[in-house]
Amino acid sequence: MTTIPIPAEADAGPTAFTRAMILTTLTMVTMLYAMTVTIANVSLPQMQGSLSATTDQIALVVTFNIIATAVATPMTGWLAARFSRRAILIWGVIGFTCASLACGLATSLEGLVLFRVMQGAFGAPLVPLSQAIVMDSYPREKQASAMAIFGMGVVVGPVLAPTVGGYLSELYNWRWVFFMIVPFGLVALGGVLVYIQDRSRAGSSHLDWTGFLALSVFIASFQFMLDQGERLDWLDSGTILLCAALAGLALYVFVVHSATADRPFLNPKLLLDRNYALGLLIVFIFGMLNFTPTTLLPPLMQGVRGYPDSVIGLVLGARGVGTLAGFFLMFWSNRFDPRVLLVAGFACQGIAGWAMAQFSVDMTTWGVLWTSALQGFGVGVIWVPLTLVTFATLDKRSTAEATAIFHLVRNVGSSIYISLSITLALRSARQNYAELSTNAAPTNEALTMQDSLFGVWSIDSVTALAGLAREINRQALMIGYLNAFHLFAITSFAVIPVILMVKVARR
């Protein structure tokens, strides 16, 4: 594992205009990547129908993109040391833009998932490299202001992408949520070519390939097992058994190699720092909660309630607005104990999840909007204090490597929990459909009485029975999603005791 190289300062630093253009360019690069975090979610139901995929299959579009980002992010330091920051940014933006175009042109689910993996892999180095260059371009007294502007790219992307993408998807089709990224990519590429001139390299670089490959195989195999386990009937499937065995073997190799290698891919000695170890646990749970609602809500809103893509985009955009409000609040975060902010942030997520668990098939647009915004607000409140407490007591020399592990754990938590939530929703829906459908029979006196009194449902023809079956499926699917939201709320509140174990330096 290597750190991102820091070039020697030139005799004369960049001018104010050059700094401003560097900041603008790298904010655009960051926004480019941040857009893809939520942009695909808005059109998941339309993709599912177009590609003839099931709910758990179309979730691969989200989870494998997150996994590719998680695996590739720790390689950023090695890549920058070997090829220079400028080269990695150029090829990262080119690869990311081309992969986005290929996603829009995909004709099969397998192709779309492959291009989303490429999108995540090419996009992974963009944010950490951009952040490092911004920090190096500004003197220490101006870094806080620069980072505040830079952070807007992270926040604005998830607000802009689903809102505009939802309208484009409804007006044209789902492919335009990916096509809309291409112009942003070309603008960002032009800025990088003109204003980013850092061609320095660190000379010799080291990457623990054994640890990297073992970790990659473990994450990919374990994630595939979670994504496809329900559809393939878990351990009754040879494919799932093979994935489980491969994941177990890869994890064993990774743990043993990390404990014995002189320079492992991820240094286990970092876990000896109490705050850092607790921070990894908290950020894992934070990752679990972060994007799960944005994956569950689109198919719920369209499949159960029939909302168009434009409204779904507004709902996901409301989450981004909530996150933006949470980030603005953090300008005054130094007045509060970070543990209080963490508890408040996770409490907001828990309250939002509990409110979502009270939805019905007659849920309102306002109900979905305010709960999404509250969940996003919790995300914005959590991020800054979580970063502060995690690295508060860690040796500064280990910051680069520790940051890579931090983001890796967060992304893995996101992909795992999304898969588990979808599995819970689908399994619950099937079980409830089986239970509810037994009551839709001529021998059920309550049903026949209801038919004669209200005339809502009829069981006298095949068409009427098909309509009744669709309604039963809708109600069962709703129960499945409510169970997933209950789990979301419980997870949010369960992390609070861990937060209280964190040590904070006395003022």
Side-chain angles (χ1 to χ4, degrees), residues 109-433:
L109 177 63
E110 294 79 8
L112 179 58
V113 171
L114 174 62
F115 296 134
R116 284 283 284 173
V117 167
M118 293 173 60
Q119 195 182 47
F122 279 109
L126 298 182
V127 176
L129 278 182
S130 297
Q131 181 176 345
I133 295 174
V134 170
M135 293 289 287
D136 289 343
S137 300
Y138 281 82
R140 185 174 297 275
E141 63 272 13
K142 296 183 179 181
Q143 285 180 356
S145 300
M147 290 309 299
I149 297 173
F150 175 78
M152 295 298 293
V154 179
V155 178
V156 171
V159 177
L160 177 67
T163 305
V164 178
Y167 280 106
L168 290 176
S169 178
E170 186 177 334
L171 188 61
Y172 299 105
N173 56 53
W174 63 267
R175 301 180 185 279
W176 282 89
V177 301
F178 296 109
F179 291 154
M180 68 172 282
I181 298 176
V182 176
F184 288 95
L186 295 177
V187 172
L189 177 61
V192 171
L193 289 171
V194 174
Y195 294 106
I196 308 303
Q197 300 299 324
D198 181 5
R199 293 180 170 85
S200 61
R201 304 183 188 183
S204 60
S205 56
H206 167 78
L207 180 67
D208 177 19
W209 286 101
T210 302
F212 169 69
L213 293 175
L215 181 63
S216 301
V217 170
F218 163 69
I219 293 175
S221 301
F222 187 67
Q223 185 63 49
F224 184 85
M225 181 180 70
L226 292 178
D227 284 328
Q228 299 298 300
E230 182 67 16
R231 188 173 68 88
L232 299 178
D233 205 15
W234 295 104
L235 297 182
D236 288 335
S237 166
T239 302
I240 297 301
L241 287 173
L242 177 61
C243 285
L246 192 59
L249 177 62
L251 179 61
Y252 172 78
V253 171
F254 175 74
V255 170
V256 172
H257 178 76
S258 297
T260 57
D262 293 332
R263 299 170 65 185
F265 181 63
L266 300 179
N267 186 5
K269 293 181 180 179
L270 294 174
L271 298 178
L272 297 177
D273 184 284
R274 172 176 170 168
N275 265 26
Y276 183 69
L278 290 173
L280 289 184
L281 177 58
I282 296 171
V283 81
F284 180 77
I285 299 175
F286 171 78
M288 292 167 65
L289 303 173
N290 196 8
F291 299 122
T292 298
T294 63
T295 305
L296 294 176
L297 283 173
L300 167 63
M301 294 176 67
Q302 190 168 88
V304 174
R305 199 73 172 87
Y307 280 105
D309 288 345
S310 58
V311 177
I312 296 174
L314 287 175
V315 168
L316 299 186
R319 177 191 180 276
V321 172
T323 304
L324 181 62
F327 270 112
F328 275 124
L329 179 64
M330 291 303 99
F331 282 112
W332 298 276
S333 61
N334 58 346
R335 301 180 183 180
F336 304 98
D337 187 325
R339 292 171 296 189
V340 173
L341 294 173
L342 287 174
V343 170
F346 280 106
C348 287
Q349 299 227 53
I351 293 170
W354 190 260
M356 292 176 185
Q358 311 309 310
F359 285 163
S360 70
V361 291
D362 298 319
M363 60 186 177
T364 63
T365 303
W366 167 245
V368 185
L369 278 172
W370 79 260
T371 51
S372 295
L374 181 60
Q375 192 262 331
F377 179 77
V379 170
V381 170
I382 290 170
W383 184 248
V384 173
L386 176 55
T387 304
L388 291 177
V389 299
T390 301
F391 298 96
T393 58
L394 197 67
D395 188 339
K396 300 300 182 184
R397 293 172 296 181
S398 303
T399 300
E401 182 175 3
T403 302
I405 299 174
F406 185 75
H407 289 290
L408 170 67
V409 170
R410 174 177 59 88
N411 287 326
V412 171
S414 294
S415 61
I416 289 175
Y417 201 71
I418 288 172
S419 298
L420 291 177
S421 298
I422 290 176
T423 296
L424 174 62
L426 295 180
R427 180 175 284 269
S428 298
R430 279 195 288 268
Q431 291 175 344
N432 282 281
Y433 182 85

